[in-house]
Amino acid sequence: MDSPWLLLNASFGFLVAVALVRFIAFVSEVWQHRALMRQLQRAGKPMPPHSSIFGHLLQAKVAADELPPGAHSCYILDRLSVKQDRAEAYYFDSYPIAVPMLIVTDPYLANQAMNHPWTGAEKPATLTEWFHPISGRGGLNLFTENGQEWKRNHETFLPFFNSSNLDATMPVVVEEMVVFRDILRKEVHSPNTFCLEPLTLRLMNDIIGRVVFNVELRNQTSGTHPLSETMLRQLRLKFASNNVVDNLGQLNPFRKLQIWNNGRILNKHIRAHIENRVEVFRSAKVQDDQTAFNSLLDQALATYYSQSGRQQSETIDGEFMTMLCAQLRMFFFAGYDSTSGTLISLCYLISKHPEVLAKLRAEHDEVFGRSVAACPDKIIESPAILNSLPYSHAVIKEAMRLFPPANGIRTGCKDLVLKSRDGTEYPTEGVLVQSNHISIQRNPSVWVRPLEFLPERFLVGPEHELYPPKGAWRPFEFGVRNCTGQAFVIKEVKAFLSIFAREFNFEERYDELYADEKVDLTNVYHEKAFLTEAGAAHARGGLPCRVSLSGYTS
Ligand code: HEM
Ligand SMILES: *[C@@H]1O[C@H](CO)[C@@H](O)[C@H](O)[C@H]1NC(C)=O
Ligand SMILES: *[C@@H]1O[C@H](CO)[C@@H](O)[C@H](O)[C@H]1NC(C)=O
Ligand SMILES: *[C@@H]1O[C@H](CO)[C@@H](O)[C@H](O)[C@H]1NC(C)=O
């Protein structure tokens, strides 16, 4: 009769022991991080006032309280720099929320980190944890992998991003944008304010489904494809809330279980889909199967089967399948979320700058001709036409400067000490280096008229005062780990502007949905559409707006 009792006791004892070991490990981590900070502080390195117990958590809390609710953590880091007399870099220890970092707000220093042979190529392990629900496979994917593994997998997908393949994707991109245009045309008849972002997310979902997997997900029109449903559910679970208390829910075992189970279902769908595509590929039907472009999936299969010694008669091995699943899940997220955020920031800025809109329209008239209706077909016929839109390109760059959707992060090392022009040294051993894009891209010592929306700054030569210094514009980061998708993003967003800028007027209506008199926007640069925390950074509230037909004719 004793044995179940003993067993229970033994397991209880075991659990207590495990908890104790974990607790001790945690305390020793805290101690280690705090000690490193004290050492840097003694050496006179810049940082906010540091507490041996709380690190910089209290300072971060004070900074966060000075921001409107929901504001993205990039503004907290920005605010902490401003409070230190606009420190060009400073150390920040928010452990256990994140490991200690060197926050960089100046391009001269950021360039040194991103171009360093080791640090410039090394993503931190903590990013891997962050990605786990998104990509599965412990969070390992092109975004987070390092060394040989990264190099091999990077090369597997790289040909997808060559310019001719990207041009060949434009017809499906435009096709989805035409669906979006028809949805907006219906919206103009409604007198109500609505939020634009859910619609741009669905648009990007459908585009990315075709570009990543050759699947028509149809979230814009019917919205029940299991692949995107499971993926979107997973993202919702991960980004359930941007409120700190609710984020404690991440510790909730049921949430973990849900994420795990959902990930399992997602993998099942993706695997089945990959297997079908492998069959198509092996029977060499890919070429005559509709598409003139290689999707990311097709490209991975092409690379796989081109490796020497591999027969088309073999099916793919398990390791490759697992890798592919994780990468496709990552691409789905990377390709969908931040691009939608960019479209929204663009619409917001254009709605506030009629002079920019007028110039955009003039450029589109010139390049596509006066018929707005004919524009989508013109892009489909010759996607390279998108390369001759310098003003549109400048508008996109300027929007991404003011509202960067993502930051850059690397692992520091002993060998890398950042050195500013005045000789100040910033050791990076034991910390992560974060390039805080909003701080760099609105930095008044780097940019002339930093808070103004002036696309012209990207069209002037080096002799002009508006000409941006090297590395000042970095929404896609630099160095070997820069964004693989950037050329695709620019093409897509140019197509978006070309199709929508002339036909519609967007009018932001924040005041209708938010009682802004109660919210202090001072520390988010007075932007009603300030960035909020939701995967990539997204404009607050998904841009409440009204859309009308512009009636524009040139
Ligand atoms: C507006 C849209 C986008 C923005 C602002 C953006 C931004 C970024 C940034 C800043 C990084 C580097 C992160 C770091 O340095 O720590 C990155 C990496 C990456 N992005 Fe993007 N991205 C966008 C869209 C896309 C798209 C559409 C794709 C693919 C279809 C993509 C694929 C990737 C990949 C694979 C990486 C990892 C690169 C590597 O480490 O080798 N991104 N992105
Ligand atoms: C670009 O990639 C596509 C497939 O992804 C390939 O068929 C084509 O040959 C590549 N072109 C160049 C110029 O590398
Ligand atoms: C698109 O997907 C989301 C998430 O699964 C869903 O809530 C939405 O209803 C879908 N859109 C349409 C038009 O059905
Ligand atoms: C971006 O990364 C690629 C691949 O590692 C590299 O070849 C290229 O030079 C990088 N570009 C920039 C501007 O850093």
Side-chain angles (χ1 to χ4, degrees), residues 293-305:
F293 69 97
N294 262 357
S295 66
L296 278 154
L297 169 54
D298 288 345
Q299 182 53 54
L301 296 179
T303 310
Y304 180 82
Y305 281 110

Side-chain angles (χ1 to χ4, degrees), residues 363-414:
E363 178 172 89
H364 298 160
D365 279 343
E366 194 184 311
V367 174
F368 298 105
R370 291 177 169 203
S371 163
V372 175
C375 179
D377 284 339
K378 291 231 160 132
I379 303 174
I380 290 174
E381 276 158 32
S382 57
I385 199 169
L386 297 170
N387 298 332
S388 38
L389 296 165
Y391 189 72
S392 306
H393 194 178
V395 170
I396 298 166
K397 288 180 83 169
E398 185 67 339
M400 298 187 83
R401 178 181 76 85
L402 291 171
F403 294 101
N407 292 312
I409 194 154
R410 302 288 181 275
T411 311
C413 65
K414 190 166 189 230

Side-chain angles (χ1 to χ4, degrees), residues 202 219-223 228-229 232 236:
R202 285 178 204 159
N219 191 228
Q220 295 201 85
T221 45
S222 51
S228 66
E229 246 177 353
L232 299 182
R236 270 200 307 275

Side-chain angles (χ1 to χ4, degrees), residues 157-166 287 293-295 299 302:
F157 291 95
L158 199 57
F160 169 87
F161 295 97
N162 76 36
S163 165
S164 54
N165 195 52
L166 290 184
Q287 293 321 317
F293 69 97
N294 262 357
S295 66
Q299 182 53 54

Side-chain angles (χ1 to χ4, degrees), residues 46 86-90 102-116 119 416-426 428 433-435 440 443 446 470-471 474 477:
R86 291 196 178 276
E88 58 183 0
Y90 68 91
L102 174 63
I103 309 296
V104 177
T105 72
D106 180 86
Y108 186 72
L109 296 174
N111 290 342
Q112 292 169 36
M114 299 304 164
N115 295 331
H116 184 265
T119 287
L416 174 65
V417 177
L418 305 184
K419 205 172 201 171
S420 72
R421 287 193 176 85
D422 72 8
T424 312
E425 293 191 340
Y426 302 94
T428 69
V433 183
Q434 162 139 352
S435 155
I440 297 178
N443 188 334
V446 174
K470 185 164 178 268
R474 52 194 318 132
E477 247 330 312

Side-chain angles (χ1 to χ4, degrees), residues 115-412:
N115 295 331
H116 184 265
W118 191 83
T119 287
E122 195 75 6
K123 290 296 194 79
T126 44
L127 199 58
T128 310
E129 276 162 46
W130 188 90
F131 259 104
H132 177 65
I134 294 173
S135 72
R137 198 184 175 229
L140 281 174
N141 57 54
L142 282 177
F143 216 101
T144 56
E145 285 167 336
N146 287 317
Q148 283 309 309
E149 200 183 15
W150 170 78
K151 195 164 182 301
R152 190 186 59 227
N153 295 334
H154 175 74
E155 282 163 7
T156 300
F157 291 95
L158 199 57
F160 169 87
F161 295 97
N162 76 36
S163 165
S164 54
N165 195 52
L166 290 184
D167 278 348
T169 65
M170 281 303 121
V172 301
V173 169
V174 169
E175 221 175 88
E176 297 298 341
M177 285 183 180
V178 167
V179 174
F180 183 73
R181 181 196 65 190
D182 295 344
I183 291 171
L184 279 192
R185 282 182 182 170
K186 288 196 194 107
E187 207 60 60
V188 301
H189 297 301
S190 126
N192 300 326
T193 290
F194 71 104
C195 294
L196 193 58
E197 178 126 59
L199 302 185
T200 53
L201 279 171
R202 285 178 204 159
L203 164 65
M204 294 319 306
N205 177 81
D206 288 1
I207 290 176
I208 212 66
R210 298 183 79 170
V211 164
V212 173
F213 317 103
N214 318 80
V215 187
E216 293 186 27
L217 297 172
R218 296 185 204 278
N219 191 228
Q220 295 201 85
T221 45
S222 51
T224 49
H225 197 289
L227 244 177
S228 66
E229 246 177 353
T230 343
M231 189 66 203
L232 299 182
R233 193 180 328 130
Q234 189 76 336
L235 295 178
R236 270 200 307 275
L237 282 170
K238 176 163 172 64
F239 302 116
S241 168
N242 47 29
N243 143 345
V244 176
V245 177
D246 204 83
N247 274 336
L248 290 176
Q250 311 264 1
L251 304 174
N252 174 345
F254 296 106
R255 167 105 62 107
K256 280 206 160 152
L257 188 67
Q258 277 177 310
I259 288 180
W260 172 81
N261 190 43
N262 202 52
R264 196 182 55 85
I265 300 170
L266 190 53
N267 278 347
K268 209 178 85 187
H269 287 304
I270 297 181
R271 277 166 182 266
H273 181 70
I274 294 174
E275 271 157 17
N276 286 335
R277 200 68 191 166
V278 169
E279 284 319 303
V280 176
F281 189 88
R282 288 171 62 208
S283 57
K285 283 193 217 127
V286 167
Q287 293 321 317
D288 39 71
D289 176 55
Q290 47 119 1
T291 46
F293 69 97
N294 262 357
S295 66
L296 278 154
L297 169 54
D298 288 345
Q299 182 53 54
L301 296 179
T303 310
Y304 180 82
Y305 281 110
S306 71
Q307 281 155 357
S308 68
R310 213 156 247 146
Q311 305 292 323
Q312 199 106 330
S313 57
E314 299 166 25
T315 182
I316 62 173
D317 66 47
E319 196 191 329
F320 184 72
M321 173 63 99
T322 308
M323 186 281 290
L324 192 49
C325 244
Q327 306 292 2
L328 296 180
R329 282 170 64 173
M330 178 280 295
F331 275 120
F332 183 103
F333 168 72
Y336 144 93
D337 192 57
S338 41
T339 315
S340 169
T342 300
L343 298 183
I344 293 297
S345 303
L346 251 179
C347 291
Y348 167 71
L349 287 164
I350 290 172
S351 92
K352 301 208 313 174
H353 294 275
E355 75 289 358
V356 170
L357 181 58
K359 286 187 198 166
L360 267 179
R361 287 172 170 173
E363 178 172 89
H364 298 160
D365 279 343
E366 194 184 311
V367 174
F368 298 105
R370 291 177 169 203
S371 163
V372 175
C375 179
D377 284 339
K378 291 231 160 132
I379 303 174
I380 290 174
E381 276 158 32
S382 57
I385 199 169
L386 297 170
N387 298 332
S388 38
L389 296 165
Y391 189 72
S392 306
H393 194 178
V395 170
I396 298 166
K397 288 180 83 169
E398 185 67 339
M400 298 187 83
R401 178 181 76 85
L402 291 171
F403 294 101
N407 292 312
I409 194 154
R410 302 288 181 275
T411 311

